[in-house]
Amino acid sequence: EDQVTQSPEALRLQEGESSSLNCSYTVSGLRGLFWYRQDPGKGPEFLFTLYSAGEEKEKERLKATLTKKESFLHITAPKPEDSATYLCAVQARGGATNKLIFGTGTLLAVQP
Amino acid sequence: DVKVTQSSRYLVKRTGEKVFLECVQDMDHENMFWYRQDPGLGLRLIYFSYDVKMKEKGDIPEGYSVSREKKERFSLILESASTNQTSMYLCASTTGDYSPLHFGNGTRLTVT
């Protein structure tokens, strides 16, 4: 069964303290892996798509990487405005177009 | 920017009522989705549609139906609301390829 597991469930960082969020997946052929950011009371906002092992994407203080079993979202020198829930989702080959399987998210709190 | 608009941010309904959740997107996207989001369970797919008048069941369709009469509008219907349908409902849309989903800001439904 296709599955996505995110860890940790929650993470508290001091401003400037770099860290990584993990997304491990089990899927019958990966079509794509997506990272989203979700602020309280809002819908998820797209960050990155990764398609193959070894691929990396960057945006400001965020960098996403992908291996055959997991993805990491690295946060470098975070600021309080990076506080949010980060969601990972995978799309399996052979599945319905754009059907995503989501993890339960990592709640990140960055303290000033 | 893509805009996905959900008609209500908060909704309170009584058990047994018929409930309509409306979603409109302004980017001429073929695919539209309804998810529900619950703590500890993540986002789960209820229904999706890849064309007008077409619909496909997601992972948890029981107790729900959908309607897509126009390309830009996708409605979720709770035929007879129950307390276990209290949740955050998220609508999303995307083009017909492997593009990321664009989400609305959600409708928080409480069934009493």
Side-chain angles (χ1 to χ4, degrees):
Chain A
E1 183 184 343
D2 298 334
Q3 197 168 350
V4 177
T5 303
Q6 291 188 246
S7 61
E9 289 185 14
L11 182 62
R12 189 185 299 271
L13 299 173
Q14 291 296 123
E15 185 172 2
E17 179 187 1
S18 301
S19 187
S20 297
L21 313 183
N22 178 263
C23 171
S24 62
Y25 62 90
T26 305
V27 68
S28 51
L30 180 70
R31 180 180 281 168
L33 185 142
F34 300 80
W35 282 99
Y36 286 84
R37 169 192 170 127
Q38 186 175 22
D39 293 302
K42 294 195 172 182
E45 176 187 345
F46 170 70
L47 292 173
F48 304 109
T49 309
L50 301 166
Y51 294 104
S52 57
E55 190 175 358
E56 300 181 352
K57 294 268 178 78
E58 281 189 73
K59 181 180 179 179
E60 296 179 356
R61 295 175 293 282
L62 300 177
K63 180 179 176 180
T65 61
L66 181 66
T67 72
K68 289 187 178 180
K69 293 183 178 181
E70 58 192 349
S71 176
F72 291 94
L73 186 65
H74 307 278
I75 304 175
T76 302
K79 298 183 177 182
E81 53 262 42
D82 294 321
S83 299
T85 296
Y86 290 86
L87 300 171
C88 170
V90 298
Q91 185 178 33
R93 292 189 190 280
T97 301
N98 302 116
K99 182 179 174 183
L100 298 183
I101 303 160
F102 280 86
T104 53
T106 293
L107 175 61
L108 175 65
V110 182
Q111 295 183 313
Chain B
D1 273 355
V2 175
K3 186 153 184 160
V4 178
T5 303
Q6 295 184 232
S7 55
S8 304
R9 291 299 303 275
Y10 300 95
L11 215 49
V12 179
K13 295 292 181 181
R14 293 192 181 276
T15 302
E17 279 193 80
K18 189 168 186 176
V19 182
F20 293 86
L21 303 184
E22 306 287 347
C23 175
V24 177
Q25 50 94 4
D26 66 357
M27 283 301 289
D28 202 37
H29 284 169
E30 289 84 5
N31 296 351
M32 297 188 74
F33 303 78
W34 276 106
Y35 284 87
R36 65 177 281 176
Q37 184 174 30
D38 301 287
L41 296 177
L43 277 79
R44 293 178 292 167
L45 182 63
I46 304 171
Y47 266 97
F48 63 102
S49 168
Y50 50 86
D51 202 351
V52 176
K53 297 192 185 294
M54 304 299 285
K55 61 184 178 184
E56 292 281 344
K57 292 181 180 179
D59 299 316
I60 52 163
E62 296 78 19
Y64 303 95
S65 62
V66 291
S67 172
R68 194 162 180 205
E69 297 296 319
K70 293 185 178 181
K71 190 174 186 179
E72 68 271 18
R73 186 180 297 270
F74 192 35
S75 303
L76 180 69
I77 304 155
L78 286 66
E79 296 290 342
S80 177
S82 63
T83 55
N84 61 14
Q85 293 179 309
T86 291
S87 186
M88 169 70 93
Y89 289 88
L90 290 162
C91 174
S93 73
T94 189
T95 56
D97 53 16
Y98 309 133
S99 301
L101 302 184
H102 297 271
F103 285 88
N105 278 329
T107 296
R108 185 165 292 281
L109 173 68
T110 301
V111 182
T112 62

